[in-house]
Amino acid sequence: MTAALASAGGLRVFQNRTGSNLLQGVTSVAVNSADIFGHLESDVLLFEIDEATMPRAIPEIQPDVVVITNIFRDQLDRYGELHSVGRALDKVLESLPESATIVLNANDPMVANFGQQAKARRLYFGLETTEVGTPVPEQSADIIRCVRCDSDLAYDVAYLVAPGPLHCPECGYRLPKLDIAATSIQLGP
């Protein structure tokens, strides 16, 4: 979607469309978008990067923008515990320069709390509607406890496996205010 928007705006975009989101795939995009002298022939290099690869890739790429949509337990066999992956992502985001921007899914408490000590600008996106969702997250939801005090969270609504608007009845934690929000959703037939 990001590539389509940039292309529609007249920008030349190179990306790892094949899903090769490890370091080799990222490197291939950069090499393939460069001319014979190593100059990039692209206005935008767009990478989808595996969560465990980001701590190694971000210092090499030095991105202007980092977008984090979610992290799930789907790779525990390779990467270990979800919170250790989160801490590694948070650490690399905190290393970004002031000129960078971090765009975070604010509907996910773990993701929304990344980069709290970062010099980079933070923007939050997400859904801000109760038109869709369920009263509680699915059993497979990764975040059901407060990121600050570890108490059970109370949900206004849950979107698929990602939490939606919520609060912690114990410490008062709430998700950050959204900078970019979908406020109405119409489901198709």
Side-chain angles (χ1 to χ4, degrees):
M1 186 169 54
T2 303
L5 290 169
S7 293
L11 298 174
R12 293 173 299 174
V13 179
F14 284 97
Q15 67 182 97
N16 55 339
R17 293 186 64 98
T18 62
S20 182
N21 61 2
L22 301 178
L23 216 44
Q24 301 89 324
V26 171
T27 302
S28 294
V29 171
V31 169
N32 290 333
S33 64
D35 66 18
I36 195 166
F37 301 106
H39 300 103
L40 295 175
E41 298 289 325
S42 173
D43 297 311
V44 176
L45 286 173
L46 181 63
F47 302 110
E48 184 220 337
I49 300 175
D50 179 83
E51 60 269 29
T53 301
M54 284 183 66
R56 291 188 352 235
I58 284 179
E60 293 293 324
I61 297 169
Q62 299 181 11
D64 296 321
V65 178
V66 174
V67 179
I68 299 185
T69 56
N70 58 55
I71 58 171
F72 290 127
R73 296 184 185 276
D74 63 339
Q75 301 295 325
L76 286 181
D77 59 328
R78 291 189 340 206
Y79 303 135
E81 199 269 327
L82 181 70
H83 294 283
S84 64
V85 172
R87 282 190 297 276
L89 287 172
D90 191 37
K91 184 177 179 181
V92 76
L93 293 175
E94 289 180 355
S95 72
L96 290 170
E98 196 174 324
S99 59
T101 301
I102 305 167
V103 183
L104 302 167
N105 175 4
N107 290 136
D108 182 317
M110 181 180 284
V111 172
N113 276 282
F114 287 158
Q116 295 295 309
Q117 304 303 316
K119 293 175 257 156
R121 175 181 176 207
R122 286 188 321 272
L123 292 175
Y124 298 99
F125 72 92
L127 297 174
E128 194 169 70
T129 179
T130 56
E131 295 172 342
V132 295
T134 61
V136 295
E138 295 179 8
Q139 287 180 324
S140 61
D142 285 320
I143 304 298
I144 58 172
R145 296 193 163 283
C146 180
V147 295
R148 293 201 179 137
C149 74
D150 205 34
S151 298
D152 288 344
L153 292 167
Y155 296 87
D156 299 330
V157 65
Y159 309 121
L160 300 173
V161 295
L166 56 80
H167 69 279
C168 177
E170 296 298 316
C171 73
Y173 170 77
R174 292 190 177 278
L175 294 172
K177 184 178 183 315
L178 299 178
D179 297 296
I180 305 158
T183 57
S184 182
I185 296 174
Q186 285 187 304
L187 300 176

